[in-house]
Amino acid sequence: MDAQSYNTALADLRGVRDAIRKARAQLVKLEADRDKQIVRLTGHAKASAERIAPAAGLSVADVVALAPALAPDSLADSDAPQPQPAPETAAKPPTELTPQPQPGAAAAAVDTVLPQPTVPAPTAASEAPVAKTPAATDAPRALPSIPEGDRGNAWCTHTSGLVSTRPNFTQQARSTVFLDTTTGVLVHRNQTHRLDLGTATAADILTAVFHAIPEGVERIYITAGDPWHRDADRYPYLRDAVAAWLNAPIPGWRTDTGRGRDRMAGHFVHARNPVGRYQRESGEQHVEIRSVGEWFDVDGDDPATVRDAFVLLWQALRRHWSDAVLMGSPSQTGRDLWTRTIPQRGQYADGFPVLSEELRGLLHATAGQGRNELLTPPRVPEQLPQLVEYDRTFAYAKHTWKSPVGTPRRITATAFAAWSEKEQTRALYGCGHWQVRVTVPDAWNRVGLLPAPAPGERAWHYPAEPGTTFTTWAGGPEVHTALTNPIQPWQIEILDGILWEDGKPLDDWAKKLKETWTNLSAQAHFQGDAQQARAAHLASRAVRAILLYGIGSFAQRPRMVTGTTPRPMERDVPPDAEIIGFDDELITWQKPTGFSRDPNAHPEWAAAIWSGARAALLTQRHRDDDTYAGALHAPPGTVVAFRTDALYLTQPQSWPYHHQPGDYLLRGHLTGPVTAPTTEEELLTLRDAGRAALTTSGQEA
């Protein structure tokens, strides 16, 4: 680009900037007008938030916030004085785990014996500690606790009649095609077609595909083109564009209502990987339109290569599961394969019982997933000397060897304090989920070790400021790491807890997937044909997705249902629904439906694996090399970010890598000086640049 082009582009950029400012100002004005009209409507005697919400494109809660007089009757007494809970320490006497500093603690091994817990004498400070909260405009959300007495003890049960059992049927494979909506290339088995997709609406795709394959198909994977983003410029959010694309009318078709054992009904609105489910109005044919991005990232791969990847994946899984079938998503496939490893003899031959809904709800609210944290100046330099990315290979597969089983036991602070040191140590090494009060040591100069609730739904942060005190829930691996870390032990007070027996419900499943991943990775490395090598690599990534999303599906989050209502029938929008989009014809909404009676809901397994993975980002022992890796084994001030199973540093490390699950793989290396990222977008931009630079230099592991 020459100087003239550069100056012209700058002028164009300023024009875009000004247009954005005007649009934002107009949006603010429109929102203010909307709010005034909502308030004005309260003057009508029969005004109701349920009627006004869909007309305004807001949820009922948003309308009530603007006009409290419209609050439903069920909320009329919400301002009445409520009984205040007893002080936390009165109901739950804390057990404080006060580690005794030992000589050479800074260089101590990670697997040292847990320090002896002591019960502190009651003091004003221990009864009412002052928590230092992070600087934020909103207060951190409060995490739930287990109720006292018999009511709380009743949570530690299983749901009657809800058990994970081995299936007595064989999944049926579905006829599948792979379509590039940019080029129109369609691959069906060994045949390749070139389609005219018009504007690539769902109607265009279904018409073209069923014309090319008259016998019909049941699943269409989009390999490139993202057709659901075609009209993104017309909508403020991608989800709105996706919902409009999915819900556009298709002559002769309607939204699928589900069928058979694999009962998935309705569209799934997702900004990047949506699922459209359609059926003929006659009900004779059902078809899904899905993104192959659910399985792996496609980097310019043609539909034939993607097809070969799925064929290799299926063949590799068949070596371990004779009845393996690839279902629509990795999570569905993962859970189906797991059910086929449930033992037919032994203690759990009758299946694995599902926890009570109350305990599942507690785990949902208190057990986060991956650690995502960006450390910004002054915690890191304004100019980073380097940015080095280490990614834990197939990370979650490292933490499936032990999982909680059996009837959970509630361990109160009093009960924990009454145990011997050996019993306390065994409990914290075991499969547990603990409510703890944490104090960061006064001389701490590293990253935070335990997650704490932050403002925002399901948001977490990791306090590291010396002297900070906070209350949170954490899994056994993280509590153990905080107590035995190689830098300086943290002070932990046990307030409450849930403890299970140690078991191996996922071990056989995970071992088979790890072997499948290893074989496909080897094929990708040694295959002489470039296309087949690429297909094997994609298949190995799909195995990773099966395990990763299979574990996530055990968490069984409360379900969110998406639906549409014609504009003339807006009063039929459910009163507890949130409006997520609308046009001249349809209102698109979503609403939570709580926990379903899912026989394969095991959030305790997902929580234990996630906790172990977060702990391994801090410290992980490599026994064969007699060394350690992780954020706590890098110099102070060199950690820039955590991203699920990746770690970003300002210095390269000599951590061992043997192509095993959990090993730290060097993925990117950007030489400095590098301006420290302050947003996730900036971090991802630097990540991509670092990976490209490492590929160019040929230093990959």
Side-chain angles (χ1 to χ4, degrees):
M1 176 181 288
D2 56 26
Q4 183 177 356
S5 299
Y6 177 78
N7 291 329
T8 300
L10 280 178
D12 293 341
L13 185 60
R14 295 187 190 101
V16 173
R17 175 201 64 194
D18 294 341
I20 291 173
R21 287 177 178 172
K22 291 178 182 178
R24 284 176 176 166
Q26 180 66 13
L27 177 61
V28 170
K29 181 178 182 300
L30 289 172
E31 289 177 340
D33 290 344
R34 176 199 63 195
D35 296 346
K36 289 179 182 178
Q37 291 187 40
I38 290 173
V39 173
R40 190 179 305 121
L41 287 171
T42 61
H44 182 57
K46 295 185 178 181
S48 70
E50 290 84 354
R51 287 286 308 279
I52 295 174
L58 296 174
S59 68
V60 171
D62 292 333
V63 172
V64 171
L66 290 168
L70 297 176
D73 294 339
S74 60
L75 301 178
D77 297 330
S78 61
D79 293 332
Q82 300 294 322
Q84 295 300 312
E88 188 175 51
T89 52
K92 302 178 182 179
T95 297
E96 182 177 353
L97 305 180
T98 309
Q100 301 298 322
Q102 300 178 5
V110 175
D111 52 357
T112 53
V113 177
L114 283 171
Q116 181 176 356
T118 59
V119 181
T123 64
S126 65
E127 291 176 3
V130 178
K132 296 182 180 179
T133 58
T137 55
D138 300 316
R141 72 190 189 286
L143 296 180
S145 300
I146 304 176
E148 294 300 323
D150 293 341
R151 179 166 167 250
N153 295 337
W155 286 20
C156 293
T157 59
H158 292 113
T159 301
S160 176
L162 203 57
V163 181
S164 303
T165 57
R166 193 182 185 99
N168 57 5
F169 64 94
T170 301
Q171 286 286 359
Q172 297 300 309
R174 296 191 177 181
S175 176
T176 302
V177 297
F178 303 89
L179 174 64
D180 183 331
T181 60
T182 302
T183 63
V185 172
L186 174 79
V187 171
H188 176 228
R189 297 175 183 165
N190 294 323
Q191 301 176 352
T192 300
H193 306 266
R194 188 171 293 275
L195 310 182
D196 180 2
L197 297 176
T199 58
T201 63
D204 292 335
I205 290 173
L206 292 179
T207 299
V209 169
F210 278 83
H211 182 268
I213 308 172
E215 64 270 25
V217 298
E218 295 178 276
R219 186 173 294 139
I220 302 170
Y221 277 121
I222 305 300
T223 65
D226 295 340
W228 36 80
H229 293 163
R230 291 295 175 93
D231 293 327
D233 293 344
R234 297 173 49 195
Y235 298 90
Y237 302 105
L238 276 180
R239 278 177 57 89
D240 294 344
V242 171
W245 189 89
L246 291 171
N247 290 301
I250 305 176
W253 295 84
R254 57 184 171 86
T255 303
D256 199 344
T257 55
R259 71 197 191 284
R261 298 179 185 274
D262 179 22
R263 189 175 179 84
M264 299 295 289
H267 304 315
F268 174 60
V269 181
H270 186 279
R272 300 293 177 184
N273 298 313
V275 181
R277 300 185 177 99
Y278 306 94
Q279 67 180 107
R280 291 281 191 188
E281 290 182 346
S282 61
E284 296 176 355
Q285 287 181 314
H286 302 254
V287 63
E288 292 181 330
I289 299 179
R290 311 186 73 113
S291 169
V292 80
E294 295 180 84
W295 292 85
F296 41 69
D297 292 331
V298 178
D299 185 14
D301 299 296
D302 59 54
T305 302
V306 175
R307 174 208 55 201
D308 291 347
F310 275 83
V311 171
L312 289 174
L313 173 64
W314 176 75
Q315 291 172 340
L317 291 173
R318 280 272 170 151
R319 297 188 182 99
H320 299 285
W321 287 275
S322 60
D323 54 353
V325 170
L326 297 183
M327 302 178 71
S329 69
S331 61
Q332 290 173 277
T333 305
R335 288 216 299 184
D336 180 68
L337 293 176
W338 171 76
T339 61
R340 298 172 194 280
T341 63
I342 294 176
Q344 295 177 291
R345 290 186 294 272
Q347 182 179 3
Y348 293 102
D350 293 331
F352 294 92
V354 174
L355 295 177
S356 68
E357 185 169 334
E358 292 83 2
L359 210 50
R360 280 181 280 153
L362 179 76
L363 288 166
H364 165 65
T366 61
Q369 192 174 348
R371 178 169 181 168
N372 288 286
E373 182 184 23
L374 176 61
L375 283 70
T376 57
R379 294 186 67 184
V380 296
E382 295 275 359
Q383 294 293 315
L384 308 179
Q386 305 172 71
L387 185 64
V388 188
E389 178 192 7
Y390 288 95
D391 190 18
R392 295 187 66 228
T393 298
F394 207 14
Y396 287 178
K398 177 78 172 179
H399 306 286
T400 55
W401 64 278
K402 181 178 74 171
S403 300
V405 294
T407 302
R409 291 186 293 155
R410 182 186 185 180
I411 310 299
T412 64
T414 302
F416 188 88
W419 283 351
S420 67
E421 176 187 352
K422 183 177 181 180
E423 289 173 319
Q424 291 178 345
T425 300
R426 186 186 303 117
L428 294 177
Y429 268 115
C431 294
H433 191 59
W434 303 95
Q435 187 180 32
V436 293
R437 182 178 292 122
V438 185
T439 300
V440 182
D442 290 337
W444 189 255
N445 65 347
R446 302 297 183 104
V447 298
L449 303 186
L450 291 171
E457 183 182 2
R458 298 197 58 76
W460 301 89
H461 70 125
Y462 294 79
E465 184 71 22
T468 299
T469 297
F470 59 96
T471 298
T472 190
W473 285 85
E478 292 167 287
V479 174
H480 171 255
T481 297
L483 287 167
T484 64
N485 76 82
I487 310 302
Q488 185 180 7
W490 281 31
Q491 179 179 313
I492 307 291
E493 300 174 32
I494 299 295
L495 303 178
D496 211 339
I498 311 157
L499 189 63
W500 291 266
E501 300 172 18
D502 295 352
K504 294 181 176 293
L506 303 177
D507 193 45
D508 185 34
W509 174 71
K511 282 180 178 177
K512 290 177 177 179
L513 289 177
K514 283 186 279 189
E515 290 179 18
T516 303
W517 172 79
T518 299
N519 291 335
L520 288 169
S521 297
Q523 287 186 51
H525 184 72
F526 294 109
Q527 173 63 250
D529 182 274
Q531 179 172 330
Q532 288 301 300
R534 177 62 181 172
H537 171 73
L538 294 178
S540 72
R541 299 297 292 173
V543 176
R544 174 186 178 276
I546 288 173
L547 185 134
L548 176 69
Y549 295 116
I551 290 170
S553 70
F554 287 125
Q556 200 238 352
R557 306 298 186 198
R559 293 194 173 186
M560 188 72 73
V561 172
T562 302
T564 59
T565 301
R567 286 297 293 267
M569 302 172 63
E570 64 181 36
R571 66 176 59 194
D572 292 337
V573 173
D576 56 343
E578 175 190 1
I579 306 299
I580 60 174
F582 52 86
D583 55 27
D584 293 339
E585 297 179 357
L586 293 173
I587 298 171
T588 304
W589 48 265
Q590 66 180 15
K591 71 169 187 173
T593 60
F595 293 101
S596 65
R597 284 186 59 84
D598 184 347
N600 295 322
H602 292 285
E604 69 276 20
W605 298 348
I609 292 169
W610 294 339
S611 179
R614 291 193 299 269
L617 278 175
L618 299 169
T619 179
Q620 174 177 279
R621 185 181 182 189
H622 292 261
R623 296 182 184 275
D624 294 341
D625 300 277
D626 192 24
T627 189
Y628 297 86
L632 294 181
H633 302 280
T638 61
V639 178
V640 177
F642 299 87
R643 186 169 173 80
T644 308
D645 49 12
L647 185 60
Y648 297 82
L649 306 171
T650 62
Q651 296 179 8
Q653 305 294 318
S654 57
W655 296 334
Y657 184 74
H658 302 300
H659 300 273
Q660 296 299 312
D663 286 357
Y664 280 89
L665 169 66
L666 177 63
R667 288 290 305 278
H669 190 173
L670 198 59
T671 57
V674 178
T675 301
T678 58
T679 65
E680 182 183 26
E681 183 178 2
E682 292 176 358
L683 174 66
L684 295 180
T685 299
L686 293 176
R687 178 201 67 181
D688 294 342
R691 291 180 178 180
L694 186 66
T695 301
T696 301
S697 66
Q699 298 178 19
E700 305 110 309

